[in-house]
Amino acid sequence: MLSDHGLGGYIATRLSCRGEDDPLAHARTVAAAIAPLLADPPDLLVVQGDTSSALGGALAAVEAGVPVAHVEAGLRSFDQSMPWPEEGNRIAIDAVASLLFAPTETSAANLRNEGLSGAVHVTGNSGIDALFAALAALPAPARARNRNGVPLILVTCHRRENWGLGLTTVALALIEIARSTHAKIDCVLHPNPLVRDSMRSLLDGEPGIRLVEPYDHGAMIAAMRDADLILSDSGGVQEEAPALGVPLLVLREKTERPEGVASGNMQLVGTNTERIVDAVSRLLADAGALAAMGRPALPFGDGHAGPRIATHMLDWIAATALIRTAVPDLTSPPSIDIGPAWLQGPFV
């Protein structure tokens, strides 16, 4: 995986922290695994995104007195349950970060409105950098879109808030779409056994629906590029689909990435079966509407977030070194609040 992104020559430490039902417990497990690596404190600990692993990294840094830099800071759905626990994770990480790398002006405004002490920089999202690098390495598309008049729909669904009933209603929608339209559906299974087994039990053997084993990054980008329409509850797909120029129906009621809606590349349809079927049928019947959603756009970055982030970090490290030389022990490490206020999600 590291070699896929030009990092094959760097040292990687496997933490071997298995996923847990309790995301806070997982974050603490990750923090404990990282702690020995901070015995010789680095200038910065960088965390990306809003997973429990990212929160664990921030916890470890705070405990060790190491400043935190947060890549993909400031995303907000303004609903602690959508997505849970990610909304709470990113709020907690942002609260203690010294450097806040916001992908968009909207996310930067969210951070400023919260009055955080960290320095806010709008950089774009490094995920778009990775997308462009993956595209450059791919062979030509294996198919033309809408080949022979048969559209291809790519589907992913895995978010915690969609476990159970949500997965069922999405699967029922896919069955109805496969039966009532001429589209072919590729449903990418998730590595999580609960999600994987649920979708397999609901969809295995259904005509017109192909269950696909999890892709690596490059193969997933190729599958998205070659699709006529994507249905997904993934945050990363919400960023990548507009850049690829592929229409996206988001299987969520709320999003922390409203820029994709504003650019016209994606629509929120939730997990209601009828609503999903209606949205897909309408787009497949209206070539103009599908084409309008498929105009490539870059609301989440231009592919140069990495160099911007690196420059800001180097500048911050240099400036901090000067301050520490002049005034030793000027600052104390921040504290991180992971109390029950944001943990009372629907799955606790």
Side-chain angles (χ1 to χ4, degrees), residues 52 60 260 288 328:
S52 296

Side-chain angles (χ1 to χ4, degrees), residues 22 62 65 88 99 102 150 165 185 205 207 230 239 256 335:
D22 180 352
V62 169
L99 287 172
V150 181
L165 179 60
I185 298 174
I230 299 173
E239 297 173 349
E256 64 280 5
S335 62

Side-chain angles (χ1 to χ4, degrees), residues 49-52 54-55 70-80 82-97 100 110-111 114 116 159 161 235 252 254-257 336 342:
D50 48 27
T51 62
S52 296
L55 177 59
H70 188 198
V71 176
E72 199 179 85
L75 277 66
R76 299 289 185 269
S77 70
F78 303 101
D79 185 335
Q80 296 279 355
M82 292 188 182
W84 185 86
E86 289 85 355
E87 180 79 356
N89 289 347
R90 53 191 173 230
I91 290 172
I93 296 168
D94 288 340
V96 299
L100 296 155
N110 293 337
L111 295 167
E114 292 173 13
L116 302 178
R159 300 221 66 87
E161 60 266 28
R252 291 169 54 181
K254 297 180 181 179
T255 181
E256 64 280 5
R257 294 172 171 86
I336 186 166
W342 66 267

Side-chain angles (χ1 to χ4, degrees), residues 33 39 70 82 145-146 152 184 194 210 216 226 238 248 304 311 317:
H70 188 198
M82 292 188 182
R145 289 187 186 174
N146 204 16
L152 175 62
K184 291 185 177 180
L194 187 152
R210 184 171 70 117
D216 63 22
D226 296 347
Q238 290 181 58
L248 171 65
H304 301 287
T311 296
I317 290 170

Side-chain angles (χ1 to χ4, degrees), residues 243-256:
L244 291 168
V246 182
L248 171 65
L249 298 179
V250 181
L251 302 173
R252 291 169 54 181
E253 297 293 340
K254 297 180 181 179
T255 181
E256 64 280 5

Side-chain angles (χ1 to χ4, degrees), residues 147-215:
R147 184 180 60 184
N148 299 325
V150 181
L152 175 62
I153 301 174
L154 184 70
V155 182
T156 78
C157 188
H158 71 280
R159 300 221 66 87
R160 279 179 181 260
E161 60 266 28
N162 286 342
W163 290 4
L165 179 60
L167 291 176
T168 300
T169 54
V170 169
L172 292 174
L174 299 182
I175 293 171
E176 177 63 24
I177 292 165
R179 292 176 178 176
S180 62
T181 74
H182 57 291
K184 291 185 177 180
I185 298 174
D186 280 356
C187 181
V188 182
L189 297 173
H190 195 268
N192 183 298
L194 187 152
V195 178
R196 176 193 184 92
D197 293 347
S198 293
M199 297 304 277
R200 188 177 290 281
S201 67
L202 291 162
L203 297 173
D204 197 18
E206 284 291 333
I209 299 176
R210 184 171 70 117
L211 299 180
V212 183
E213 292 299 317
Y215 288 124

Side-chain angles (χ1 to χ4, degrees), residues 3 15 40 58 85 91 105 128 139-140 161 164 211 282 300 307 322:
S3 60
L15 300 180
D40 181 13
I91 290 172
E105 290 290 350
I128 302 301
E161 60 266 28
L211 299 180
R282 185 174 62 253
F300 300 104
L322 288 174

